[in-house]
Amino acid sequence: PAPVSAMQQERLLKVLVIGDLGVGKTSIITRYVHQVFSQHYRATIGVDFALRVLDWDHKTVVRLQLWDIAGQERYGHMTRVYYREAVGALVFDMTRMSTFQAVLKWKGDLDSKVALGNGRPVPAVLLANKCDQRAQGLCPKLPKLEAFCRDSGFIGWYETSAKDDTNIEAAIMCLVRSIMSLE
Ligand code: GTP
Ligand code: MG
C-alpha cells in the first residue's frame, strides 16, 4: 500500500487577523495556537506569523497560517495581492466603541488589497472580543451584530474571549469551513 503521506493532500490557508490597536488579535491567536492567555499588553510591530495544523479529514491536512497584523499598521504599503486561499478575521473590543466603528474601515482595507485567486472578496468573520467584560460593562451602543454582518458582507460573527477561551475555535472553524467548501 502507498504510504499515508502520499495519499494526503495539504492545503495552506492564510487567516488575516485585523482590527484596531489592543482589541486582542495577538491574544486570540495565542489562545488558538498555544492555549494560553496573558493580561500583559505588548503591541505587535508589523506582522507576526503563527501556524496551526489541522487534520481536516482522512485525506486532508490544513496548514493554517495566522497573520497577526499590528493594529497600528495600515495596508498602505501593500500592493494588491491575490491568495488562492485566504480568509479574514476582523476583531473589535466590545468595551470600546471606537474599535467597532473602525471595523468597516478595516474591512474596506482588506477588500481593497486582498482577494481570492478567483478575484472574489475573501470570506470574513467578525469577532466581538472581550465578551468576558460584560460584568464590568460593554459598550451600550453596539448595534445588533446579526443585521450589521448581513449588511456588511460578513459570513458570521461571534462574541469571543481570548481570556476565557470563548468561541475562538468556533470563529476560526467557520472561516476554515467557508474556504474548504469552495472548490
Ligand atoms: P496590537 O498588536 O497593538 O494591534 O494589539 P492586539 O489586537 O494584538 O491586542 P492584544 O492581543 O495584545 O491584547 C491587548 C490587551 O487586551 C492585552 O492586555 C490583553 O491581555 C487584553 N485582552 C485580549 N483579549 C482579551 C479578552 O478576551 N478579554 C480580556 N479581558 N482582555 C483581553
Ligand atoms: Mg498584537
Side-chain angles (χ1 to χ4, degrees):
V4 171
S5 60
M7 302 185 299
Q8 274 191 338
Q9 60 161 334
E10 197 176 271
R11 304 261 299 256
L12 178 66
L13 178 53
K14 294 182 167 65
V15 183
L16 307 171
V17 183
I18 57 183
D20 267 3
L21 270 175
V23 295
K25 301 177 295 296
T26 300
S27 302
I28 286 166
I29 293 170
T30 305
R31 168 61 77 187
Y32 183 69
V33 173
H34 302 295
Q35 283 305 326
V36 291
F37 174 77
S38 161
Q39 300 277 358
H40 178 70
Y41 174 39
R42 203 177 72 211
T44 304
I45 309 294
V47 57
D48 281 338
F49 297 95
L51 184 78
R52 186 164 148 186
V53 180
L54 304 175
D55 287 316
W56 188 250
D57 58 29
H58 61 284
K59 60 181 196 321
T60 317
V61 168
V62 174
R63 294 174 69 84
L64 276 185
Q65 189 180 76
L66 297 131
W67 291 43
D68 181 3
I69 295 163
Q72 55 188 289
E73 196 69 13
R74 286 288 171 189
Y75 285 73
H77 311 294
M78 261 168 87
T79 49
R80 192 169 169 85
V81 279
Y82 292 89
Y83 294 116
R84 200 165 73 86
E85 301 190 300
V87 293
L90 280 92
V91 185
F92 74 95
D93 174 346
M94 293 189 88
T95 70
R96 286 187 293 143
M97 192 63 188
S98 62
T99 68
F100 173 73
Q101 286 158 342
V103 159
L104 287 181
K105 236 170 16 195
W106 283 107
K107 176 96 166 39
D109 246 6
L110 176 69
D111 289 343
S112 73
K113 294 294 183 338
V114 185
L116 296 181
N118 59 12
R120 309 245 327 144
V122 303
V125 155
L126 183 65
L127 280 70
N129 194 40
K130 308 196 188 180
C131 69
D132 57 274
Q133 294 296 92
R134 188 158 267 117
Q136 288 83 342
L138 302 179
C139 282
K141 295 207 191 78
L142 284 176
K144 291 270 175 267
L145 293 180
E146 187 68 41
F148 173 81
C149 283
R150 192 178 343 103
D151 297 345
S152 317
F154 289 94
I155 62 170
W157 64 279
Y158 294 85
E159 288 189 359
T160 61
S161 168
K163 186 177 177 201
D164 292 354
D165 196 9
T166 306
N167 278 338
I168 306 288
E169 191 90 26
I172 293 175
M173 270 306 126
C174 170
L175 286 168
V176 177
R177 271 198 308 273
S178 78
I179 277 284
M180 296 303 285
S181 66
L182 297 175
E183 297 277 282

